[in-house]
Amino acid sequence: ELFEEVARDRELRKELKDASDMQAQLLPNIAPQLAGCQIAGRCLAARAVCGDYYDFFKLPGQRVGLAVGDVCGRGMPASLLMAELQSQVRTQAPTTESLGELLRRINRQLYRAAQGSKYCTFFFGIYDCARRRLEFVNAGHNPPLLVGPRAFRFLESTGLPLGLFPEVSHEARVETLDPGAILVLYSDGLLEARNARGETYGVERLVSVLTRARDGD
């Protein structure tokens, strides 16, 4: 019995490792090269698999799609819904002109997939490098932080998270980025990270670090 238990444990660990590797392949490994802006991203999962998701990809006309999402819950169910979200974004974004319509389509698919039992927060923006123009929608996600030369502001929610209800409505907003501005998209794992004293990282530290680093790359 002990041998069988050890064997099952090894098999489970292997399956989790395989799932983790597959999930990592869904995330972008090369940032788009566009004149006038730099893009970078990273995901550090607290477990083998997670429900966090980010993406960036080129669109026609010196534009780039920027996405970040967080499926409620942890483990395999969250990672599977994350994969569905990634698939829908990559499929729908290049052909959907309205960001509000894009979220409606993605929401319908996620609602069908999870039957309202799970939901995800989600931010999606299209940045036009030539005009320094960001059009975005925010489905209940942690508000991205836009750090400019003199001040910072948050890109607040434009509506409900995705997957909870059959239909949602979002109206896109627009921001013009100053030269040298930093836009940070993140999930709550960043803000909730704790140090040895049990203190959370929090919004204040994030703002402080980015304000000091605003002249860097």
Side-chain angles (χ1 to χ4, degrees):
E1 291 182 0
L2 179 59
F3 176 79
E4 292 178 355
E5 183 177 344
V6 171
R8 286 195 299 268
D9 183 66
R10 287 178 177 173
E11 182 64 24
L12 178 59
R13 289 175 182 272
K14 182 180 182 302
E15 290 178 358
L16 286 173
K17 176 64 166 56
D18 291 344
S20 178
D21 292 343
M22 291 179 63
Q23 186 175 41
Q25 293 175 10
L26 297 178
L27 301 176
N29 54 18
I30 301 177
Q33 300 298 310
L34 296 167
C37 67
Q38 294 177 317
I39 301 172
R42 191 176 188 189
C43 179
L44 298 174
R47 299 187 179 186
V49 291
C50 67
D52 284 7
Y53 157 68
Y54 77 89
D55 207 352
F56 33 64
F57 47 88
K58 276 188 175 181
L59 293 169
Q62 286 297 301
R63 299 181 304 154
V64 60
L66 305 169
V68 62
D70 187 2
V71 178
C72 72
R74 295 185 175 90
M76 196 64 70
S79 71
L80 291 174
L81 196 60
M82 184 277 278
E84 177 66 25
L85 173 62
Q86 189 260 8
S87 173
Q88 290 299 313
V89 172
R90 284 286 181 134
T91 302
Q92 301 279 1
T95 59
T96 307
E97 294 185 5
S98 162
L99 294 189
E101 178 61 25
L102 174 66
L103 258 61
R104 280 193 290 272
R105 293 182 181 182
I106 294 175
N107 176 75
R108 290 168 188 158
Q109 185 61 33
L110 294 183
Y111 184 81
R112 284 195 292 267
Q115 293 297 307
S117 63
K118 282 194 172 296
Y119 68 90
C120 70
T121 61
F122 179 62
F123 174 95
F124 185 74
I126 295 179
Y127 181 60
D128 186 323
C129 296
R131 296 192 292 169
R132 299 201 305 271
R133 180 181 184 271
L134 175 71
E135 183 181 13
F136 71 91
V137 281
N138 184 355
H141 194 73
N142 297 91
L145 179 59
L146 179 58
V147 182
R150 292 172 296 277
F152 68 87
R153 58 188 178 277
F154 292 96
L155 307 186
E156 300 291 349
S157 176
T158 60
L160 293 172
L162 307 181
L164 279 173
F165 304 102
E167 295 292 334
V168 296
S169 177
H170 288 263
E171 185 174 345
R173 296 175 186 166
V174 174
E175 289 277 354
T176 299
L177 275 62
D178 296 321
I182 302 172
L183 175 65
V184 181
L185 317 179
Y186 58 94
S187 71
D188 56 9
L190 175 61
L191 303 184
E192 295 173 0
R194 294 179 180 271
N195 62 17
R197 296 188 298 274
E199 301 167 332
T200 56
Y201 190 75
V203 173
E204 293 79 8
R205 285 188 176 89
L206 177 61
V207 171
S208 176
V209 166
L210 294 172
T211 300
R212 294 197 304 270
R214 74 173 82 204
D215 295 329
D217 64 12

